[in-house]
Amino acid sequence: MNSDTLTGTTTDLGGKLKEGLGKAFGDNQLQAEGKADRAEGTVQKTFGEAKESVAPLLDQARRFVNERPFAAAAVGGVIGLALLNTLRGK
């Protein structure tokens, strides 16, 4: 678990607490703040989980570039040409 996932989970739990207290005391502002905190926590937690799943792929790409620099340059060139042709509408 990385810091983004942990912070997002904490923010989400704090938002649930605020929302519950807002409902219990009839404080609409506190309840709205809790919902906003929950949404922020969910986004941050999702970002952290995505970052964890992408990290191994980035490590593999770095190893490939270090081990085979010419092949990596060729692949980059082909991808670049494909993007240019796509953007130009061909």
Side-chain angles (χ1 to χ4, degrees):
M1 184 178 286
N2 62 31
S3 63
D4 289 315
T5 306
L6 184 61
T7 303
T9 302
T10 304
T11 304
D12 184 39
L13 289 174
K16 285 180 184 178
L17 180 64
K18 275 186 183 180
E19 188 177 356
L21 289 173
K23 280 182 184 178
F25 293 114
D27 188 345
N28 291 335
Q29 183 177 356
L30 186 62
Q31 191 174 355
E33 286 177 15
K35 287 182 181 181
D37 286 351
R38 287 184 63 196
E40 179 185 342
T42 301
V43 168
Q44 190 166 13
K45 185 170 46 172
T46 303
F47 174 74
E49 291 169 354
K51 195 164 72 171
E52 283 180 357
S53 65
V54 170
L57 295 174
L58 291 176
D59 289 338
Q60 272 186 324
R62 283 188 194 106
R63 275 197 306 273
F64 179 77
V65 169
N66 287 333
E67 293 171 2
R68 299 181 182 114
F70 295 115
V75 169
V78 169
I79 292 172
L81 287 173
L83 283 172
L84 283 173
N85 285 334
T86 301
L87 293 174
R88 289 189 333 186
K90 291 187 175 184

